[in-house]
Amino acid sequence: MDVTVRTVYEAPRALVAAVAGDPANAIRWSGNVHHVRWHGEPRIVEGACFDLLTRALGREMTSTYRVVDLVPQERLVTRVEQGPYPLEVTMTWWDEEPGASGPRTGMALRRAGRAPTMATLGSGAVTLGMRRAMRRDLERLRLVLRQEADGGSRPGR
């Protein structure tokens, strides 16, 4: 599976990268992440490690991610070091033409890997499902960005 989804947000790149690129915020916008645990200091720097506890396909899974590439406010690449299957997640951000309400930022989210179940499932259906889930995640991120722009209020979870 190698799936990329793109969108444009009505927000400055610094905000989009800060919110999307911080694993602690994944709980707020990723549909299947429900806990983040850092290995060491909770900072996004190359070499940093963190665990994401997720629910997918009716199972709870823990994956340990390492930050393998970071260009602040431009690109963040993390790779699963320990988990149910190999996965690399890449987020990229760029400036779009400003809109009537101010700065706009483009974002791409790419997930590349191969889950063992994909060998038996129709890979086209799995890819389509992954694309839908990633689009839903980016729409939830849009709501989180609006909350942050409105003063950082967070709904109770």
Side-chain angles (χ1 to χ4, degrees), residues 99-156:
S101 61
R104 297 172 66 224
T105 301
M107 178 177 167
L109 174 61
R110 176 180 180 244
R111 291 190 175 133
R114 184 163 176 83
T117 57
M118 288 186 192
T120 57
L121 297 174
S123 63
V126 172
T127 299
L128 183 61
M130 177 66 70
R131 188 176 316 281
R132 269 195 302 256
M134 290 167 65
R135 284 192 176 128
R136 282 192 303 268
D137 286 349
L138 292 184
E139 285 307 307
R140 279 191 291 272
L141 178 57
R142 185 178 312 282
L143 298 174
V144 171
L145 290 167
R146 285 184 191 142
Q147 291 168 356
E148 291 294 319
D150 290 342
S153 61
R154 294 182 185 201

Side-chain angles (χ1 to χ4, degrees), residues 14 24 30 44 52 54 59 62 96 98 105 112-113 117 124 135-136 145 149:
S30 180
I44 297 299
L52 293 182
T54 61
R59 295 180 34 209
T62 300
E96 291 280 336
T105 301
T117 57
R135 284 192 176 128
R136 282 192 303 268
L145 290 167

Side-chain angles (χ1 to χ4, degrees), residues 34-150:
H34 62 91
H35 185 71
V36 178
R37 181 177 48 238
W38 286 90
H39 297 225
E41 192 173 337
R43 295 183 331 141
I44 297 299
V45 295
E46 283 192 42
C49 278
F50 56 92
D51 292 339
L52 293 182
L53 185 59
T54 61
R55 286 187 196 102
L57 302 173
R59 295 180 34 209
E60 285 199 351
M61 298 180 281
T62 300
S63 299
T64 301
Y65 287 79
R66 180 173 300 275
V67 176
V68 296
D69 185 26
L70 175 65
V71 178
Q73 298 183 25
E74 187 176 314
R75 180 179 60 250
L76 171 64
V77 181
T78 60
R79 189 173 296 140
V80 170
E81 284 198 332
Q82 190 172 18
Y85 57 90
L87 180 68
E88 184 172 276
V89 178
T90 304
M91 294 182 203
T92 54
W93 304 280
W94 61 90
D95 293 328
E96 291 280 336
E97 287 293 319
S101 61
R104 297 172 66 224
T105 301
M107 178 177 167
L109 174 61
R110 176 180 180 244
R111 291 190 175 133
R114 184 163 176 83
T117 57
M118 288 186 192
T120 57
L121 297 174
S123 63
V126 172
T127 299
L128 183 61
M130 177 66 70
R131 188 176 316 281
R132 269 195 302 256
M134 290 167 65
R135 284 192 176 128
R136 282 192 303 268
D137 286 349
L138 292 184
E139 285 307 307
R140 279 191 291 272
L141 178 57
R142 185 178 312 282
L143 298 174
V144 171
L145 290 167
R146 285 184 191 142
Q147 291 168 356
E148 291 294 319
D150 290 342

